[in-house]
Amino acid sequence: LTSYEMVGMAREGMLPSFLLRKLPGFETPYIPVLLSYTVVLTLSLNAPFEQILALDNLLYSAQLLLEIAALITLRIKRPGLHRPFRIPLE
């Protein structure tokens, strides 16, 4: 997760609210930034570059699959949900 994703999930109540704390004067959510930095630093110091690339591709693919599954689930379970745009199929 990036720091922006962590903040967004904390706003929605999916992650703890302490992630919303901001650095005085800069309004930067410093806890998610430090968490992301720690993960990146740990990976870069302990894993070969090829392994980091493979992990990135795996996680990105998993994220896309989850998004597509969520869209299909919403389409089936809530077909009348307001959608701000339509995809032209013609």
Side-chain angles (χ1 to χ4, degrees):
L1 290 174
T2 66
S3 56
Y4 291 112
E5 290 170 332
M6 285 188 236
V7 169
M9 290 176 74
R11 280 190 193 132
E12 295 296 321
M14 292 184 262
L15 288 176
S17 62
F18 72 86
L19 293 171
L20 296 172
R21 291 186 194 147
K22 295 185 178 181
L23 196 62
F26 295 100
E27 296 298 312
T28 304
Y30 65 96
I31 295 175
V33 170
L34 290 174
L35 287 172
S36 293
Y37 171 76
T38 303
V39 169
V40 169
L41 183 65
T42 302
L43 277 175
S44 65
L45 292 176
N46 295 317
F49 186 69
E50 292 81 14
Q51 190 175 5
I52 294 171
L53 283 178
L55 180 63
D56 181 54
N57 284 331
L58 175 73
L59 293 175
Y60 182 71
S61 298
Q63 177 186 359
L64 286 177
L65 288 173
L66 287 171
E67 288 175 11
I68 292 168
L71 290 172
I72 292 171
T73 302
L74 272 176
R75 179 65 69 177
I76 292 169
K77 290 189 173 185
R78 300 186 64 189
L81 188 66
H82 171 70
R83 291 170 175 84
F85 62 90
R86 294 189 60 82
I87 297 174
L89 298 176
E90 297 175 6

